[in-house]
Amino acid sequence: MVVLTEFNKKPLLFQNPIALISTHNPIYLKGCFVEMERVLKEGYYLAGFLSYEAGYAFEEQLQDNREYDFPLVCMGVYAAPTSNPLQGVAPAELTRLHLNTSQDIYSSHISKIRNHIAAGNVYQITYCIKLLFDFCGSPYGLYRRLLREQSVPYPAYIETDAFQILSLSPEKFIHKRHGSIVTEPMKGTWPRAAAPLADLLERVRFGRDKKNRAENIMIADLLRNDLGRIGCRISAPRLCKITGYRTLYQMTSVVTARLRQDIPLLSLFSALFPSGSVTGAPKIRAMEIIRSLEQEERRIYTGAIGYICPNKDLFFDIPIRTLLI
């Protein structure tokens, strides 16, 4: 497995793993974390991903103990990364793009979500559908082309014998360093305008929009609660921060905490994964509703991609705007 992370424009390339730690069955997920702890103590790095469905295994009332088609966790064990990018960029083509649902089913699901909110079962649901396509050419070539089209802060590329993951993500999941952890939940999207003055006006409107601000603050509160389960000195130094991309604006908040440097990885991910920004609030009830409505497993989408250092510093994105080939 090859893993390339380019978070904050600092590429780290992980190649030629000495082992893979992976499972398709929730029963063995905790065992994978035990093995991850063992190899870190031996001085190795870990790089790879967790699928969204791994989140069910972290909550007792969500566990289903069935074999999944796609890995719930897949982490390569590496001696060390390099800062060299992958070589070779060939053309690629996507054709026959189509959704995995119909307008009638989509509308029915949105109606059910509104009913849940009206009944007080949840405050918010992050409902997802998929865009399917036919593909030919170079997955890495497509990744580089998409990254040139719209630069994002947390891109990553993963290649295995069975699949490739092209993550053009603007969202940070967790960055832990020397006992401090930062998460930046993203809620809120707004179109940009072509003319500079009109674009500035759209940014101001976005920053004042009650719906987007309410969603963003709601999820920041959820992340503060999740971090409070494992850390101390919880803080939200910045709420509703607006970042501009080529075609749109995004709203994020910054939530921080202090953790024990040696906190068990299982405790960390059990408390925080998946991010509330990709489920809704409250998280467990939102995940139950999502599982009842969405027609397919999310797999890598809205899971986590990243790496863990031997001292247990780590950095993961949330793979949104992500292709699985």
Side-chain angles (χ1 to χ4, degrees), residues 64-318:
D64 54 11
N65 295 333
R66 68 181 179 86
E67 192 84 8
Y68 285 82
D69 294 333
F70 196 72
L72 297 177
V73 62
C74 188
M75 301 294 290
V77 181
Y78 301 89
T82 69
S83 58
N84 301 321
L86 288 168
Q87 300 298 316
V89 178
E93 183 180 16
L94 301 182
T95 57
R96 215 172 67 84
L97 277 73
H98 58 286
L99 294 173
N100 72 331
T101 190
S102 68
Q103 179 67 56
D104 287 344
I105 292 173
Y106 176 82
S107 297
S108 171
H109 288 176
I110 296 303
S111 178
K112 289 178 181 178
I113 289 168
R114 286 175 169 164
N115 290 338
H116 277 297
I117 293 171
N121 297 326
V122 286
Y123 304 110
Q124 180 192 105
I125 293 288
T126 302
Y127 174 72
C128 297
I129 58 178
K130 292 183 181 180
L131 192 63
L132 308 177
F133 55 86
D134 292 340
F135 175 81
C136 65
S138 164
Y140 183 65
L142 177 60
Y143 167 77
R144 293 254 65 101
R145 192 177 90 200
L146 291 173
L147 195 53
R148 286 196 303 270
E149 288 289 325
Q150 182 148 266
S151 178
V152 293
Y154 309 112
Y157 175 80
I158 296 177
E159 183 172 292
T160 76
D161 292 338
F163 55 82
Q164 296 84 33
I165 297 168
L166 293 60
S167 181
L168 286 300
S169 176
E171 185 168 6
K172 178 192 292 182
F173 175 34
I174 46 175
H175 187 190
K176 175 177 169 288
R177 188 168 180 268
H178 302 323
S180 294
I181 189 167
V182 178
T183 181
E184 295 187 14
M186 177 179 288
K187 273 293 174 189
T189 304
W190 199 267
R192 300 192 65 167
L197 188 58
D199 187 51
L200 179 60
L201 182 59
E202 292 301 330
R203 184 186 180 106
V204 172
R205 286 174 175 166
F206 182 33
R208 296 178 178 177
D209 184 73
K210 291 182 180 180
K211 182 264 188 187
N212 280 286
R213 291 184 65 87
E215 278 201 280
N216 193 282
I217 292 170
M218 187 186 305
I219 295 304
D221 283 342
L222 190 157
L223 265 295
R224 286 196 292 191
N225 181 71
D226 284 355
L227 282 170
R229 297 165 61 186
I230 53 172
C232 62
R233 291 163 58 184
I234 315 300
S235 176
R238 191 166 183 184
L239 296 172
C240 301
K241 177 180 69 172
I242 296 175
T243 302
Y245 296 92
R246 186 170 65 85
T247 58
L248 50 81
Y249 289 113
Q250 298 276 190
M251 185 179 288
T252 59
S253 288
V254 179
V255 185
T256 65
R258 293 288 301 175
L259 303 178
R260 288 172 28 217
Q261 177 66 7
D262 63 346
I263 183 171
L265 294 175
L266 182 60
S267 299
L268 179 66
F269 280 91
S270 294
L272 301 178
F273 184 87
S275 172
S277 69
V278 301
T279 62
K283 185 191 287 189
I284 294 176
R285 186 67 181 110
M287 290 177 71
E288 288 176 333
I289 294 169
I290 287 168
R291 183 157 60 178
S292 73
L293 293 178
E294 293 184 8
Q295 296 174 278
E296 299 178 26
E297 297 169 13
R298 291 187 180 184
R299 297 186 170 185
I300 184 58
Y301 188 71
T302 68
I305 296 174
Y307 61 87
I308 307 172
C309 302
N311 67 354
K312 299 178 86 166
D313 284 352
L314 54 83
F315 203 162
F316 283 81
D317 78 355
I318 298 178

Side-chain angles (χ1 to χ4, degrees), residues 31-66:
C32 288
F33 277 86
V34 171
E35 183 65 10
M36 288 159 62
E37 296 277 8
R38 185 187 69 79
V39 298
L40 290 172
K41 287 180 181 178
E42 293 179 358
Y44 292 104
Y45 289 78
L46 293 164
F49 66 88
L50 283 81
S51 294
Y52 171 82
E53 281 72 28
Y56 297 136
F58 294 133
E59 295 291 344
E60 186 173 344
Q61 67 193 78
L62 296 177
Q63 292 175 6
D64 54 11
N65 295 333
R66 68 181 179 86

